[in-house]
Amino acid sequence: VSLGEFTGVTERAGLAILDVSQPENPQMISRWDSAAFDRGSSTVIVQDEFAYLGAMEHGVVILNIGRGAPIRFVSSIIPDKLFGSKKHSYHARGLSLQEDLLLVAYDNGGLRTIDVSDKSTPRETGKYAASGIDAEGTIFCNHVCRVGQRAFCAMDYCGIEVVDVTDPASMQQLAWINPWGCTSQPPPLGSWNGSPGHCNEIVFSPEAGALFLSGGDTQVLSLDAAQPQL
């Protein structure tokens, strides 16, 4: 479980490991946080003995969660803050990992790729921000889910973007699905507050071949992963 409030009064980014073998009585078995990461955290994903923590303004934190040992800090990386829109702050909000390539939904900084083959020295290998979306509204890449060579990005009130990540150094837009008519008009139509929906979390169902997305205002959206359309 990722820990740490990141709105209002910010708290340390942290991680808790829970034993849920008895769902009616979960037990915390390990906990980690650090004063070095004082902007809260938004998400966590796990692969083998490593956890990857989205630590908001402090980027991505890699932790060793080897069974039976205390959680141990391994490394961290802040993706490039000089690339992209730079209209608002950049935060590591969503993560997706396939083999050694970590995709980071970097808020107003777009989509980033991080090579984590060497856990002690992660490297940023790709940066992508959709100028077309930014011209209409504002880029807010809230979450990302990779299916094959496609990254499905939750773009907040500007819907869903599909990006080809075959070559991380040269990512390309495949589609932009804009269900709420994100525009550059003045408020309320062109504002974050005025939008009838906001896309945040994404999960993929291999059985259905579909993605399911939280759309704000109690909406749930589904997307065909093979032929993306609402």
Side-chain angles (χ1 to χ4, degrees):
V1 179
S2 62
L3 305 175
E5 171 65 69
F6 55 79
T7 59
V9 177
T10 55
E11 300 173 348
R12 295 179 179 184
L15 180 71
I17 300 175
L18 306 180
D19 179 348
V20 293
S21 56
Q22 299 181 47
E24 70 283 0
N25 186 32
Q27 300 291 321
M28 185 171 70
I29 57 177
S30 189
R31 187 182 189 280
W32 174 93
D33 64 44
S34 170
F37 305 100
D38 59 355
R39 292 292 184 270
S41 64
S42 58
T43 188
V44 62
I45 59 174
V46 173
Q47 185 184 75
D48 301 324
E49 71 267 32
F50 294 97
Y52 300 82
L53 189 67
M56 298 299 284
E57 290 180 27
H58 291 297
V60 178
V61 178
I62 302 177
L63 302 168
N64 189 311
I65 57 169
R67 193 172 183 85
I71 300 171
R72 180 172 59 84
F73 173 81
V74 177
S75 64
S76 65
I77 181 171
I78 298 177
D80 185 2
K81 289 192 173 184
L82 298 180
F83 172 86
S85 173
K86 294 184 285 187
K87 293 179 181 177
H88 300 278
S89 298
Y90 291 5
H91 308 92
R93 287 188 179 273
L95 305 173
S96 182
L97 181 62
Q98 185 170 310
E99 296 179 344
D100 289 322
L101 188 68
L102 180 69
L103 302 183
V104 181
Y106 202 33
D107 203 2
N108 194 225
L111 178 66
R112 307 301 176 88
T113 59
I114 308 293
D115 181 343
V116 294
S117 55
D118 181 351
K119 306 296 185 287
S120 63
T121 313
R123 297 182 302 108
E124 183 172 18
T125 56
K127 322 170 193 186
Y128 171 82
S131 58
I133 296 177
D134 210 47
E136 286 297 308
T138 302
I139 290 173
F140 288 115
C141 191
N142 285 350
H143 206 274
V144 58
C145 180
R146 180 175 176 178
V147 181
Q149 298 303 323
R150 293 174 172 177
F152 294 83
C153 303
M155 303 305 288
D156 207 295
Y157 71 106
C158 286
I160 303 103
E161 185 179 22
V162 188
V163 180
D164 185 342
V165 295
T166 304
D167 180 0
S170 182
M171 292 181 278
Q172 303 291 325
Q173 185 187 84
L174 296 175
W176 174 27
I177 301 157
N178 186 13
W180 303 296
C182 161
T183 74
S184 56
Q185 298 179 52
L189 291 178
S191 74
W192 184 89
N193 271 339
S195 175
H198 300 272
C199 188
N200 288 294
E201 299 295 318
I202 306 176
V203 295
F204 175 61
S205 167
E207 296 82 4
L211 294 110
F212 296 90
L213 310 94
S214 62
D217 290 341
T218 72
Q219 296 183 50
V220 176
L221 309 178
S222 63
L223 201 68
D224 185 332
Q227 297 292 329
Q229 58 186 342
L230 286 176

